Amino acid sequence: MSATSDFGLKNMTDKATYDRLQKDVAAVKDDIAALTDQITEALNSFAGSARKQARRGYDQARDRAGSAVDDVSERGSAMMDAAQDAYSSVEETLEEVITQRPLATVGLALGLGFLIGMAWRR
């Protein structure tokens, strides 16, 4: 082979290698783009799932808080009813005692007034 044909073969080999490398680089670029798309989809899916879980947790917490407020309200209402019943019972008992023993009641009121007055002075 002559020097010219060696140079031509070398240029063809370099050209073929160059073309093959360009195709490989293009394939790698395409693979990276596809991988980027897959990662983006996975992150979006994860964000959507996290958003749904956070919303579910918020809804559950709100429901629990509402339930707790309702329970406290019911208990408060029951306590108020019990206090009113006790007050009514004491009132009825006092009325009954006053009507049955008016003089004893007046004496008791005077004695309590005297004791409170003495305690107040000190």
Side-chain angles (χ1 to χ4, degrees):
M1 287 198 179
S2 68
T4 328
S5 64
D6 285 339
F7 181 73
L9 184 62
K10 187 172 184 178
N11 279 343
M12 283 183 64
T13 304
D14 288 341
K15 175 79 169 142
T17 303
Y18 178 77
D19 289 342
R20 191 179 73 234
L21 286 175
Q22 277 187 330
K23 288 179 185 178
D24 289 345
V25 168
V28 169
K29 284 182 182 179
D30 290 342
D31 290 345
I32 289 173
L35 184 60
T36 301
D37 290 343
Q38 288 176 351
I39 290 172
T40 301
E41 279 183 35
L43 288 176
N44 287 338
S45 175
F46 176 74
S49 295
R51 191 176 310 119
K52 286 177 185 176
Q53 284 182 334
R55 182 65 182 179
R56 231 180 286 130
Y58 169 76
D59 289 343
Q60 288 174 350
R62 187 183 62 205
D63 291 344
R64 286 183 191 140
S67 182
V69 167
D70 290 344
D71 288 347
V72 169
S73 177
E74 287 176 18
R75 288 180 186 165
S77 179
M79 290 171 66
M80 280 296 292
D81 290 343
Q84 287 175 345
D85 290 344
Y87 174 77
S88 296
S89 176
V90 168
E91 184 181 20
E92 289 172 5
T93 303
L94 282 176
E95 284 180 24
E96 188 177 312
V97 168
I98 290 171
T99 54
Q100 288 179 358
R101 298 185 182 141
L103 292 177
T105 305
V106 170
L108 180 64
L110 287 174
L112 283 174
F114 179 74
L115 289 175
I116 292 173
M118 291 297 286
W120 196 269
R121 277 189 172 179
R122 292 183 184 188

